Amino acid sequence: MILLLLHSKKLKKEKIMRKIVILLGIILFMIACEKGNEEVREAKVVVVVYDENGKIATGIPVKMYNEKDYKVFEKDNLTLPTAVARTNESGIATFILPQEEWFAAQSQRLFTFVVQEGSGPDNYQIWSSGRTVEAGKVVKIEIRLTQFLSLIHI
C-alpha cells in the first residue's frame, strides 16, 4: 500500500513536470513569434510626376532630401540630394526607406521630394513637396510640373 502511494506521488510529480515543460515551451514559442512580428519596418514613398498638361512624366529624376540637406539645398540648388529615383513608364519614382537606416532614432522623418529643371544661381526651376514619413507606412505624393508665367512688358 505504501509502495502504491509512493508510486502514485511519483506519477503526479511527473505529470506536473510534464505540464510545466509544455507550458514553458508554449511561452517560449509565443515570445519567439512576438519577436518575429517586430521585423524591420521600411517606409515606402511613391512620387507620381505629371507634366504641365496633366500627363504622366517618364524618365524624370526625383531628388529626396532629408531635413538637414534640404535646408542646405534651399540656399544652394547644386546641393547633392540624399537619394534620387527616376520616374518609370507610369510616372512613378519609388523610394524605399529601411527602418534601420532612416528611422533608428525616431519613428517619423520629414523628407522633401524635388524635381529640378536647370541649376545654378539664376537659371533653374524646382517643384517640391515635403512630407512627414513614418516607419512602416506608405506615402503617396504628386508633383505637377506647371510652368511659371513671366510678365512681359511691351
Side-chain angles (χ1 to χ4, degrees):
M1 177 89 147
I2 294 176
L3 196 56
L4 202 57
L5 196 60
L6 287 174
H7 184 64
S8 173
K9 284 185 179 181
K10 187 177 177 184
L11 285 176
K12 284 183 184 178
K13 281 184 181 179
E14 286 178 7
K15 284 183 180 180
I16 290 172
M17 288 303 287
R18 212 175 295 142
K19 288 180 182 178
I20 289 172
V21 169
I22 290 171
L23 187 59
L24 284 173
I26 291 171
I27 290 171
L28 289 174
F29 178 75
M30 290 173 64
I31 289 170
C33 288
E34 202 171 298
K35 284 187 179 180
N37 291 339
E38 294 173 9
E39 64 189 46
V40 175
R41 299 179 322 163
E42 62 187 22
K44 181 177 180 181
V45 180
V46 178
V47 181
V48 183
V49 181
Y50 297 96
D51 67 15
E52 64 274 2
N53 298 317
K55 296 183 179 172
I56 59 169
T58 61
I60 303 293
V62 178
K63 301 176 185 182
M64 180 186 86
Y65 292 92
N66 63 22
E67 304 93 332
K68 183 182 131 203
D69 292 343
Y70 189 70
K71 288 185 186 306
V72 177
F73 174 78
E74 287 179 307
K75 295 175 182 147
D76 178 8
N77 67 51
L78 297 175
T79 302
L80 291 176
T82 311
V84 178
R86 191 171 289 278
T87 58
N88 62 16
E89 65 278 351
S90 301
I92 297 171
T94 304
F95 294 86
I96 304 296
L97 309 174
Q99 191 271 342
E100 66 275 2
E101 183 179 347
W102 297 103
F103 303 100
Q106 55 200 42
S107 63
Q108 295 181 336
R109 298 278 306 268
L110 174 64
F111 294 102
T112 303
F113 299 88
V114 175
V115 173
Q116 181 173 349
E117 185 179 283
S119 62
D122 300 319
N123 193 20
Y124 70 94
Q125 189 171 358
I126 65 167
W127 299 266
S128 64
S129 180
R131 292 289 166 81
T132 299
V133 178
E134 188 174 335
K137 302 286 181 177
V138 176
V139 175
K140 295 181 182 174
I141 297 173
E142 289 184 4
I143 296 179
R144 298 190 180 274
L145 307 179
T146 57
Q147 295 297 320
F148 289 119
L149 299 175
S150 57
L151 298 175
I152 301 174
H153 297 288
I154 300 178

